[in-house]
Amino acid sequence: MTRDDVDRWLERYVAAWKSNDPDEIGALFSADASYRYFPGDEPMVGREAIVAGWLGEGDEPGTIDGSYCCWALDGQRAVATGTSTYTSPEHRVYDNVFLLVFDGEGRCADFSEVYLRRPQPG
């Protein structure tokens, strides 16, 4: 993996999140991948469970955006940082850190997210 590889994966991650297309979501992850919303959470395990989890949390089209980039890389392990923005039902911005482990085919085999909602102005 290179930083560019991670950044391209992150771009596909955002596209899949926006589309809610099961094939796009599934293509991001290895067959036996683990996905956590927080590092200590019980993970969703397996591509099918991850796709189902994403679709169960599905956001309305046009109400979300994200921008992430590789912050650090060590072999197949990466840390990415960025922001997630929701515009409905209210405007919210979250700062994110993704802890990623990739397999030899560029699919994510282990995903843990850490996020913090930014305070609302005023």
Side-chain angles (χ1 to χ4, degrees), residues 22-63:
D23 292 331
E24 286 184 37
I25 298 165
L28 295 167
F29 299 98
S30 65
D32 59 349
S34 296
Y35 190 106
R36 295 167 193 80
Y37 290 106
F38 288 101
D41 283 354
E42 190 68 30
M44 291 181 276
V45 178
R47 184 182 295 133
E48 290 179 14
I50 294 168
V51 170
W54 270 39
L55 296 176
E57 299 280 326
D59 297 295
E60 291 296 317
T63 65

Side-chain angles (χ1 to χ4, degrees), residues 9-10 13 28-30 32-39 41-44 50 54 68 78 80 96-102 107-115:
W9 186 91
L10 292 163
Y13 176 91
L28 295 167
F29 299 98
S30 65
D32 59 349
S34 296
Y35 190 106
R36 295 167 193 80
Y37 290 106
F38 288 101
D41 283 354
E42 190 68 30
M44 291 181 276
I50 294 168
W54 270 39
Y68 317 101
N96 306 86
V97 175
F98 299 156
L99 309 173
L100 309 164
V101 179
F102 292 93
R107 292 188 185 103
C108 189
D110 193 80
F111 180 105
S112 294
E113 180 175 6
V114 179
Y115 59 90

